[in-house]
Amino acid sequence: MKHLLCLCFALLCLVACAKQSNNSIERNKQAMYRFETMINTADDALAEELVAPDAPFYTPASPEPLYGGKGYLSVVHWMRQSFSDVQWKLEEMVADEQKVAVRWTLTATHDGEFMGVPPTGKKIKTTVMNFYYFNKDGKITNDIAADGMIGILRPLGLSK
């Protein structure tokens, strides 16, 4: 009887862990849909809600990392200086309890100076991959981007 009780307790623990795991995965996925809204609208309140204050982000416009929601949005604002209509569309994602991989489609018009290149009026459409890491509270703590910048540089003649 004692072994049966231990087995039942172990099964209940496994079910509870699996349920918590599924909740974390769904929470992270939902956060990414809201993140899409955040980057396309530059919503400060959403940025503060979704991004951990100590999360570092990097941009070619800043030699030092930028932190938190405001830091992430500064990357968005940096892009909008050169591509005022930039939009990111979440096309696909894969998630686990701590990270989400997202394939984005970025569309924009080059209507401002970008890395020394005057506006060309060229329309850009490229695929970008990012990996987002979450803390236990469901906030983004890191964003690692695959090399999507080439999709922006090539149409502007900055890369072959």
Side-chain angles (χ1 to χ4, degrees), residues 28 43 58 83 87 96 98 130 142:
N28 294 347
D43 186 314
Y58 301 88
F83 308 93
Q87 290 288 291
D96 69 18
Q98 297 174 336
N130 291 71
N142 197 3

Side-chain angles (χ1 to χ4, degrees), residues 23-38:
N23 288 344
S24 296
I25 292 169
E26 276 309 306
R27 178 198 66 201
N28 294 347
K29 285 182 172 182
Q30 290 306 311
M32 291 315 304
Y33 287 119
R34 297 178 74 229
F35 184 84
E36 178 182 25
T37 299
M38 180 201 87

Side-chain angles (χ1 to χ4, degrees), residues 41-57:
T41 63
D43 186 314
D44 287 322
L46 266 178
E48 293 305 311
E49 179 184 331
L50 295 171
V51 180
D54 59 344
F57 300 102

Side-chain angles (χ1 to χ4, degrees), residues 7-23:
L7 181 58
C8 287
F9 180 73
L11 285 173
L12 285 174
C13 288
L14 283 173
V15 168
C17 287
K19 185 174 181 178
Q20 183 179 3
S21 173
N22 286 339
N23 288 344

Side-chain angles (χ1 to χ4, degrees), residues 1-6:
M1 182 69 165
K2 184 177 176 183
H3 293 306
L4 183 58
L5 287 174
C6 288

